[in-house]
């Protein structure tokens, strides 16, 4: 399997990084310079509002929007004075899990308005929601993660082999991490030498010392630590030894990446190379075509069939269609094979699109219990490579598999697209006939006013044609009945639902009439 990392930064407004395996796009990361990325940044903030009903506080941390901090994300140091002695003793047990502790004090007992708090952004704000914050600080290195509040050593949950976990924990203890600081060994730390771990630990300890000094001498709200640029961050978090080459299409970005790699993994510096081809790097590897598919609602499956992916405010719905897929005369076997292909593609698409929250997958109905369990297993196996936390439930009697995926930032679609100003994001607009009927109702309401002698309507071209050609008799009758003159104007470059109404009296003065709906405007 040939695995490469492609980094496209020729456009200063956007950075794109793709992971390609045997010519197939498996991971995609896009970041715009106009959209500041806050996830991972650490701030010294101030509590501005306390909401006991939802056990949360809102924190001003200096970015213009207040962050949301729930009591479950409040670290022990903030309420240790409220904990009984017997529970404080229990916390000394290395197996004690503070996040699962049920007897945390009430949020209103922990904080007051104006309280200073050190927070880290763990989830970007989406829509009107502000960023989600946590007081559990974590600073990633190449092989280790520094967690000041943990106060013990641990190993990443993604490393499942018990022997490997014991070996890593023992190796970390041997290099004697400082008292009062916690460290977690990342998956990249497997098979690393004690010297590599020691170098990473020393770097993180020095960095934390600098941050502590900054925390003490600055007043809130202020930023304490900001994540590195996208290229450095991606190489740090994603690069593994099975990535043969890292291609970068811009010389300055190449130097930054090489400097970072020289500091953390000198042996791999030669794998970072400059792409100087005349053809854009993403076109060379056919990535642009793959990106177009990412933004498409319908995704074709290999051999036939397709996925239909719809994003809503509350969840993502993915429907599996068999289409022209036919490999067997047995409908059950056909459904099973389509669903297996779909499970693989679903895992890939949610990774590429960065979909999060609740995801409902509607597979083709299968009667055989072995086939149903087989599709479940395939989906679970395929989402294991996802860096975001996922949980997959069992298939329901209706053929649905519900799953959740950690939502860290808005999906790729929400980052690239905006709601259409014509349809307001619903994907449909009213027909010319529907708008004409609405215009007639509005016209009757305005014409019946005793002071109105002239009504000027501005509508979209097709609506104007409908009114002039099919409603001319009704408009003439209305003019005679109410003694008014109706003028219809075509608006240029307006939406199909545009309706502007202007009412004048006998001397040409404008008559103000309260609107009856929000689908049109009056001037």
């Amino acid at each position: 399997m040939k695995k490469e990392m492609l980094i496209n930064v020729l456009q200063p407004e956007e950075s794109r990084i793709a992971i390609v395996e045997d010519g197939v796009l498996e991971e995609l990361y896009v970041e715009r310079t106009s959209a500041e990325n806050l996830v991972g940044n650490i701030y010294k903030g101030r509590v501005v509002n306390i909401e006991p009903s939802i056990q949360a506080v809102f924190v001003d941390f200096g970015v213009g929007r207040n962050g949301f901090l729930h009591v479950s994300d409040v670290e022990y140091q903030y309420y240790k004075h409220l904990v009984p002695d017997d529970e404080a003793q229990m916390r000394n047990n290395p197996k004690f899990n503070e996040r699962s502790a049920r007897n945390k004090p009430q949020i209103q007992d922990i904080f007051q308005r104006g309280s200073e708090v050190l927070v880290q952004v763990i989830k970007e704000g989406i829509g009107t929601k502000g960023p989600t914050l946590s007081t559990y600080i974590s600073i990633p290195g190449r092989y280790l993660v520094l967690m000041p509040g943990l106060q013990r050593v641990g190993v990443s949950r993604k490393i499942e082999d018990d022997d490997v976990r014991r070996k890593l924990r023992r190796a970390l203890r041997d290099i004697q991490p400082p008292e009062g600081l916690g460290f977690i060994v990342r998956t990249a730390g497997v098979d690393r030498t004690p010297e590599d771990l020691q170098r990473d630990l020393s770097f993180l300890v020095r960095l934390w010392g600098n941050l502590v000094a900054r925390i003490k001498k600055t007043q809130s709200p202020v930023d304490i630590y900001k994540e590195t640029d996208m290229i450095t961050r991606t190489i740090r978090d994603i690069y593994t030894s099975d990535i043969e080459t890292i291609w970068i299409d811009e010389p300055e970005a190449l130097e930054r990446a090489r400097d970072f790699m020289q500091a953390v993994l000198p042996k791999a510096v030669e794998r970072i190379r400059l792409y100087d081809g005349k053809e854009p790097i993403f076109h060379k590897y056919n990535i642009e075509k793959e990106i177009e598919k990412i933004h498409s609602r319908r995704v074709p499956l290999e051999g036939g069939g397709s996925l239909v992916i719809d994003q809503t405010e509350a969840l993502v719905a993915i429907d599996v269609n068999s289409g022209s897929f036919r490999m067997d005369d047995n409908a059950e076997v056909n459904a099973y094979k389509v669903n297996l292909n779909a499970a693989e593609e679903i895992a890939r698409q949610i990774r590429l699109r960065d979909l999060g929250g609740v995801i409902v997958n509607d597979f083709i109905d299968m009667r055989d219990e072995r086939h149903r369990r087989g599709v479940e297993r395939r989906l679970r196996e395929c989402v294991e490579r996802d860096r975001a936390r996922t949980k997959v439930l069992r298939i329901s009697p209706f053929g649905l598999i519900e799953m959740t995926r950690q939502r860290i930032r808005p999906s790729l679609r929400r980052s690239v697209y905006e709601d259409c100003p014509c349809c307001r994001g619903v994907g449909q607009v009213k027909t010319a006939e529907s708008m004409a009927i609405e215009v007639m109702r509005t016209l009757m309401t305005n014409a019946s006013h005793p002071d109105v002698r002239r009504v000027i309507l501005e509508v979209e071209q097709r609506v104007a044609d409908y009114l002039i050609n099919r409603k001319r008799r009704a408009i003439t009758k209305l003019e005679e009945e109410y003694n008014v003159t109706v003028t219809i104007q075509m608006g240029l470059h307006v939406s199909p639902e545009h309706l502007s109404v202007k009412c004048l009296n006998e001397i040409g003065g404008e008559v103000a009439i309260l609107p009856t709906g929000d689908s049109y405007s009056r001037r």
Side-chain angles (χ1 to χ4, degrees):
M1 179 183 69
K2 186 179 181 181
K3 191 173 182 180
E4 296 176 290
M5 180 184 293
L6 314 178
I7 300 179
N8 169 227
V9 287
L10 278 180
Q11 300 299 324
E13 299 86 2
E14 184 179 66
S15 298
R16 300 188 299 176
I17 299 179
I19 306 295
V20 180
E21 295 182 11
D22 291 334
V24 178
L25 177 64
E26 290 294 341
E27 298 181 50
L28 177 68
Y29 304 92
V30 179
E31 193 170 283
R32 297 277 174 88
T33 54
S34 59
E36 185 180 10
N37 179 39
L38 302 178
V39 172
N41 293 355
I42 301 173
Y43 300 86
K44 186 178 182 181
R46 190 183 301 274
V47 175
V48 294
N49 196 18
I50 301 174
E51 293 290 347
S53 59
I54 56 175
Q55 283 297 289
V57 296
F58 290 91
V59 180
D60 175 14
F61 59 104
V63 300
R65 287 193 297 170
N66 294 337
F68 176 86
L69 174 62
H70 190 262
V71 69
S72 61
D73 284 308
V74 178
E75 201 256 334
Y76 174 61
Q77 296 299 320
Y78 288 94
Y79 60 84
K80 62 182 179 181
H81 60 288
L82 302 172
V83 174
D85 293 340
D86 57 343
E87 184 175 332
Q89 290 291 330
M90 186 172 61
R91 288 173 179 270
N92 293 328
N93 187 334
K95 295 184 178 180
F96 182 82
N97 187 349
E98 181 185 330
R99 286 177 181 260
S100 64
R102 297 181 179 180
N103 298 324
K104 279 192 175 184
Q106 297 286 296
I107 195 79
Q108 61 268 29
D109 297 330
I110 301 174
F111 294 113
Q112 296 178 344
R113 283 190 181 182
S115 297
E116 289 190 330
V117 56
L118 188 68
V119 295
Q120 186 170 33
V121 180
I122 59 175
K123 188 188 300 183
E124 289 280 10
I126 299 176
T128 58
K129 298 179 181 178
T132 302
L133 309 176
S134 175
T135 62
Y136 292 97
I137 306 300
S138 63
I139 303 176
R142 172 60 184 157
Y143 308 119
L144 304 175
V145 178
L146 167 64
M147 301 184 70
L150 186 65
Q151 299 184 357
R152 63 176 183 270
V153 298
V155 179
S156 170
R157 294 177 182 174
K158 292 185 178 180
I159 302 174
E160 298 179 349
D161 189 293
D162 290 336
D163 292 336
V164 175
R165 293 179 66 87
R166 281 193 294 269
K167 180 182 176 182
L168 289 172
R169 197 176 278 111
R170 187 165 53 250
L172 190 53
R173 289 198 187 99
D174 288 344
I175 61 177
Q176 298 179 347
E179 289 290 333
L181 294 180
F183 291 88
I184 299 291
V185 183
R186 308 182 71 178
T187 52
V190 177
D191 296 330
R192 304 315 305 179
T193 65
E195 290 76 17
D196 291 333
L197 299 180
Q198 178 67 65
R199 186 166 56 245
D200 210 35
L201 183 141
S202 300
F203 165 75
L204 291 172
V205 170
R206 285 197 307 272
L207 176 59
W208 179 244
N210 295 335
L211 297 184
V212 169
R214 179 170 170 77
I215 292 168
K216 291 179 179 178
K217 71 179 182 181
T218 55
Q219 293 184 341
S220 59
V222 65
D223 61 281
I224 300 298
Y225 165 82
K226 288 192 174 182
E227 269 282 25
T228 53
D229 64 89
M230 185 184 182
I231 296 175
T232 304
R233 195 169 65 243
T234 305
I235 293 175
R236 180 194 69 196
D237 295 340
I238 296 175
Y239 174 80
T240 55
S241 58
D242 59 344
I243 294 179
E244 297 180 10
T245 313
I246 301 176
W247 293 102
I248 304 179
D249 62 1
E250 202 274 327
E252 289 185 11
L254 176 82
E255 290 305 315
R256 291 202 309 273
R258 280 187 167 172
D259 290 344
F260 174 75
M261 191 67 90
Q262 182 68 44
V264 298
L265 198 61
K267 296 179 181 178
V269 171
E270 296 304 317
R271 297 193 181 192
I272 302 178
R273 301 178 185 176
L274 177 67
Y275 175 82
D276 55 2
K278 294 183 178 181
E279 188 179 3
I281 186 170
F282 273 31
H283 278 282
K284 172 78 172 178
Y285 286 82
N286 292 321
I287 302 299
E288 296 292 1
K289 292 181 180 179
E290 290 283 347
I291 293 175
E292 289 178 12
K293 293 179 183 178
I294 292 174
H295 297 311
S296 174
R297 179 172 175 260
R298 185 177 295 273
V299 180
L301 296 175
E302 186 178 350
S306 63
L307 302 178
V308 178
I309 304 175
D310 288 311
Q311 286 182 250
T312 71
E313 192 71 24
L315 54 81
V316 178
I318 302 179
D319 184 40
V320 180
N321 295 322
S322 61
S324 60
F325 185 90
R326 300 290 185 273
M327 290 186 65
D328 199 290
D329 292 336
N330 189 318
E332 174 74 15
V333 173
N334 275 327
Y336 178 54
K337 291 179 179 177
V338 172
N339 285 340
L340 289 179
N341 289 341
E344 294 179 5
E345 189 62 28
I346 285 171
R348 177 171 172 265
Q349 288 295 324
I350 64 176
R351 214 168 46 240
L352 293 176
R353 299 173 186 235
D354 206 5
L355 301 175
V358 178
I359 303 172
V360 179
N361 306 290
D362 184 7
F363 288 93
I364 302 171
D365 288 341
M366 299 173 293
R367 297 181 182 275
D368 194 320
E369 189 65 20
R370 292 175 304 167
H371 291 162
R372 297 163 69 88
R373 299 285 84 83
V375 172
E376 284 178 19
R377 284 194 301 274
R378 179 66 61 87
L379 184 58
R380 287 196 177 95
E381 289 168 0
C382 293
V383 299
E384 280 182 358
R385 65 173 296 170
D386 201 333
R387 295 176 60 241
R389 290 193 303 271
T390 58
K391 182 178 180 181
V392 181
L393 300 184
R394 297 192 68 173
I395 192 166
S396 76
F398 300 108
L400 305 177
I401 294 184
E402 298 172 64
M403 61 183 292
T404 59
R405 184 175 183 269
Q406 181 186 16
R407 176 179 283 158
I408 299 175
R409 56 182 57 89
S411 67
L412 185 62
R413 179 180 173 184
R414 295 186 187 277
S415 301
V416 174
Y417 289 87
E418 63 180 6
D419 286 344
C420 170
C422 296
C423 70
R424 301 181 183 90
V426 301
Q428 295 178 317
V429 292
K430 292 180 180 178
T431 63
E433 181 182 20
S434 299
M435 278 304 300
I437 295 170
E438 186 173 325
V439 169
M440 292 303 298
R441 293 195 188 103
T442 304
L443 183 57
M444 292 178 64
T445 302
N446 288 269
S448 63
H449 194 282
D451 296 334
V452 173
R453 288 295 170 264
R454 187 180 178 195
V455 180
I456 302 174
L457 303 171
E458 183 184 79
V459 293
E460 195 258 347
Q461 179 181 348
R462 291 177 305 156
V463 180
D465 290 341
Y466 193 100
L467 290 170
I468 293 171
N469 294 325
R470 302 195 183 188
K471 290 291 184 180
R472 184 70 260 175
R473 184 175 299 177
I475 294 174
T476 302
K477 182 178 178 181
L478 189 144
E479 289 177 319
E480 294 172 352
E481 182 177 352
Y482 294 106
N483 190 27
V484 297
T485 301
V486 178
T487 302
I488 298 174
Q489 298 177 345
M490 293 184 188
L492 297 176
H493 311 298
V494 297
S495 78
E497 296 185 10
H498 174 76
L499 170 56
S500 176
V501 183
K502 188 175 183 180
C503 300
L504 306 176
N505 56 21
E506 289 182 347
I507 59 174
E510 189 167 347
V511 179
I513 301 177
L514 293 176
T516 58
D518 60 0
S519 61
Y520 59 88
S521 60
R522 287 184 173 80
R523 295 178 296 178

